[in-house]
Amino acid sequence: DTAVSQTPKYLVTQMGNDKSIKCEQNLGHDTMYWYKQDSKKFLKIMFSYNNKELIINETVPNRFSPKSPDKAHLNLHINSLELGDSAVYFCASRDSGGRSINEQFFGPGTRLTVL
Amino acid sequence: AQSVTQLDSQVPVFEEAPVELRCNYSSSVSVYLFWYVQYPNQGLQLLLKYLSGSTLVKGINGFEAEFNKSQTSFHLRKPSVHISDTAEYFCAVSDLGSARQLTFGSGTQLTVLP
């Protein structure tokens, strides 16, 4: 009955590879987010989708491309991975019209290590 | 644009002692305020939030925070901490726009010592 789930939990890969991280929420929310947490634990917004439409796109390299096939999923594809991409990536979701309009629910995170 | 400053990166405290984690924010518009907790190797969990109304808000696990508009602060307090409170604590603000984008502080590591 996990609310926001991410796969994989750990991802170790070589520089230059392409990888994807998947996020799914079963809360019926219509807004989803990707955050990056660096090695100093600083959290920064990357993207947000509302009803499959991109609404936030912070200054992120073009190598990062979010894809939302439906309201319940927001995947993150990363091309040509670099050492600096090593971080923990968190997915979150929110119901923009419901009782928890102001609360974001976070997934457990995906720890990406680029060697 | 908003910014959040958490003044203490690490706070060690003995079990059953009180604790205060400090948070100041800067914004040119009205914001909502949040405290999140991150236990080791886990995601973020909402502790409490201030949206409007009473400036003293109570959250889960015995935590509370007070919104002070004149000092632009939202400090987190607990009168008596437990070992299990050891975690990273993040203060965050969001604007009132449709995206409700969260801007986080740099975090405070609370370590409760026996």
Side-chain angles (χ1 to χ4, degrees), chain A residues 9-10 31 33 35 37 40-45 48 55-56 58 90 94 96 101-104 106-109 111, chain B residues 32 34 36 38 41-46 49 51 88 90 94-95 97-107 109:
Chain A
K9 188 170 175 61
Y10 299 97
T31 305
Y33 305 81
Y35 290 87
Q37 185 175 46
K40 296 184 178 179
K41 297 198 175 180
F42 185 67
L43 277 153
K44 188 169 168 55
I45 182 77
S48 177
I55 57 172
I56 296 175
E58 290 297 298
F90 286 101
R94 183 176 69 88
S96 69
I101 185 174
N102 297 301
E103 181 176 351
Q104 293 185 26
F106 283 79
R111 182 174 295 275
Chain B
Y32 296 137
F34 305 82
Y36 281 85
Q38 183 179 26
N41 298 314
Q42 293 188 27
L44 281 79
Q45 180 182 5
L46 181 67
K49 58 181 182 272
L51 306 180
E88 190 86 21
F90 292 94
S94 81
D95 57 26
S98 59
R100 296 287 200 278
Q101 177 176 333
L102 282 172
T103 300
F104 286 90
S106 53
Q109 172 65 44

